[in-house]
């Protein structure tokens, strides 16, 4: 089952998550959760947009905002804007974000999401 303790982490009272993005996919989706070789967990995502002029990054932020029911303006890519591996920061009150992310993790776990090795 999903190990949520490794998925989101907090820096300066803001949630962060590592995302692996596949651009030019057939659909916009959160594909799965996966272990990284360093031991962390990433959210595997795909978007139909191309990685040109930030289109894929914009599509990614829109996808995550929709999935988590948060304003798109509260999400930003703080590292990895030009790579597949990105760190997303959620700049919203932690007391608002925490229950949203906890509920999302539970929904994913209920869908029998298993982690790749």
């Amino acid at each position: 089952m999903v190990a949520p303790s490794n998925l989101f982490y907090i820096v300066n009272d803001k949630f962060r998550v590592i995302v692996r993005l596949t651009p030019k996919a057939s659909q916009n989706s959160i594909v799965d959760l996966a272990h990284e070789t360093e031991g962390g967990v990433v959210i595997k995502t795909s978007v139909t947009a191309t990685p040109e002029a930030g289109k894929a990054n914009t599509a990614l932020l829109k996808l995550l905002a929709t999935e988590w029911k948060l304003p798109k303006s509260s999400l930003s890519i703080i590292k990895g804007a030009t790579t597949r591996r990105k760190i997303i920061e959620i700049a919203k009150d932690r007391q608002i974000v925490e229950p949203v992310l906890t509920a999302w993790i539970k929904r994913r776990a209920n869908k029998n999401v298993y982690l790749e090795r």
Side-chain angles (χ1 to χ4, degrees), residues 47-90:
V47 295
T48 58
T50 62
E52 299 164 352
K55 292 177 186 175
N57 289 339
T58 300
L60 171 64
L61 294 178
K62 183 178 178 183
L63 171 69
L64 294 175
T66 301
E67 180 75 14
W68 295 332
K69 297 173 181 60
L70 293 170
K72 190 175 122 182
S73 61
S74 68
L75 303 175
S76 61
I77 298 172
I78 61 167
K79 187 173 182 182
T82 59
T83 65
R84 287 174 43 105
R85 186 182 185 273
K86 302 171 185 308
I87 298 178
I88 309 296
E89 183 172 82
I90 305 169

Side-chain angles (χ1 to χ4, degrees), residues 10-97:
I10 298 169
V11 175
N12 297 328
D13 213 31
K14 295 178 182 166
F15 280 94
R16 290 186 181 173
V17 63
I18 300 170
V19 175
R20 190 166 53 208
L21 176 63
T22 301
K24 299 190 293 184
S26 61
Q27 64 181 356
N28 294 335
S29 68
I30 294 179
V31 179
D32 206 350
L33 303 176
H35 284 287
E36 289 191 298
T37 55
E38 300 86 27
V41 178
V42 298
I43 299 174
K44 291 172 53 176
T45 61
S46 63
V47 295
T48 58
T50 62
E52 299 164 352
K55 292 177 186 175
N57 289 339
T58 300
L60 171 64
L61 294 178
K62 183 178 178 183
L63 171 69
L64 294 175
T66 301
E67 180 75 14
W68 295 332
K69 297 173 181 60
L70 293 170
K72 190 175 122 182
S73 61
S74 68
L75 303 175
S76 61
I77 298 172
I78 61 167
K79 187 173 182 182
T82 59
T83 65
R84 287 174 43 105
R85 186 182 185 273
K86 302 171 185 308
I87 298 178
I88 309 296
E89 183 172 82
I90 305 169
K92 192 142 178 77
D93 185 346
R94 198 173 140 190
Q95 293 177 337
I96 295 170
V97 174

